[in-house]
Amino acid sequence: MTVSVCVAEDVPELIKSAAALFVEDGGSRDPFLDTGWPAREGLVYYTGRVQDPDCLCLLAGDGAGHLIGRLLPPDELRPGAVRAQLESMRVAPERRREGVGGELVDAFLTWAGDRGANEVTVSAYARNETALAFYENRGFRPFLVTLSRA
Ligand SMILES: CC(C)(COP(=O)(O)OP(=O)(O)OC[C@H]1O[C@@H](n2cnc3c(N)ncnc32)[C@H](O)[C@@H]1OP(=O)(O)O)[C@@H](O)C(=O)NCCC(=O)NCCS
């Protein structure tokens, strides 16, 4: 499996994977999510992410998946925290459970650690049991819980 850092030419593939994530994940769990957003706004947004030195955009080879992560600015209320956030990730359905996601996350954790991050966070829908099990496997534990009454 090859994992590569996105360059400008990769943005269309990044948008495609992010759009599929919106439909599969948020689209089935969040009635308010605008699943058309990546197709409409993605070119500007994901190009910015690819160009930002505080962001890491990764693609797994042959359309197997993507990951977007970034360093977060300091939080004056939590001065000891050097924060990184895993913003988005997806593995193509036919490639799941082969270790692709693990490889993407490990590359991001290394990148963030090399930049001094001592806290890495990710948000997932409470009903996305696969993602929760996956992140747990990589050492993430519940920290903040968002309660919703829609
Ligand atoms: C979550 C996701 C990225 C995992 O990617 P993956 O490539 O299948 O994960 P890996 O093969 O690297 O799995 C690593 C470990 O995570 C855990 N895991 C992964 N999928 C799991 C599942 N369906 N059920 C239980 N545990 C799971 C296991 O411990 C697994 O190790 P094992 O296969 O040796 O048992 C993938 O399922 C996905 O893209 N889901 C849809 C999009 C999504 O939910 N993205 C996250 C949004 S927050």
Side-chain angles (χ1 to χ4, degrees):
M1 166 57 48
T2 56
V3 168
S4 59
V5 176
C6 292
V7 293
E9 296 76 55
D10 297 321
V11 169
E13 187 178 339
L14 196 57
I15 294 173
K16 199 172 152 198
S17 188
L21 174 64
F22 265 60
V23 170
E24 176 183 354
D25 189 21
S28 65
R29 298 183 172 102
D30 178 356
F32 302 118
L33 186 71
D34 176 3
T35 55
W37 184 88
R40 275 200 329 276
E41 312 289 343
L43 187 58
V44 171
Y45 180 81
Y46 294 109
T47 299
R49 285 290 187 245
V50 166
Q51 290 172 343
D52 185 343
D54 284 342
C55 288
L56 180 70
C57 298
L58 297 174
L59 284 177
D62 298 326
H66 83 275
L67 180 148
I68 300 171
R70 62 184 177 132
L71 299 174
L72 294 177
D75 177 351
E76 64 176 319
L77 300 182
R78 304 177 65 236
V82 182
R83 304 179 302 147
Q85 180 189 56
L86 199 172
E87 176 179 304
S88 161
M89 76 173 291
R90 168 185 173 268
V91 170
E94 67 278 11
R95 299 298 308 276
R96 288 179 191 165
R97 225 56 201 266
E98 292 177 16
V100 175
E103 216 173 303
L104 288 166
V105 168
D106 290 347
F108 172 58
L109 294 176
T110 299
W111 177 88
D114 287 347
R115 285 154 184 76
N118 57 16
E119 180 184 71
V120 182
T121 54
V122 62
S123 295
Y125 290 104
R127 293 208 168 111
N128 189 348
E129 289 166 7
T130 298
L132 295 176
F134 169 74
Y135 292 127
E136 177 113 351
N137 175 268
R138 248 48 195 185
F140 291 83
R141 297 290 179 266
F143 179 54
L144 282 173
V145 176
T146 301
L147 303 177
S148 166
R149 184 177 180 279

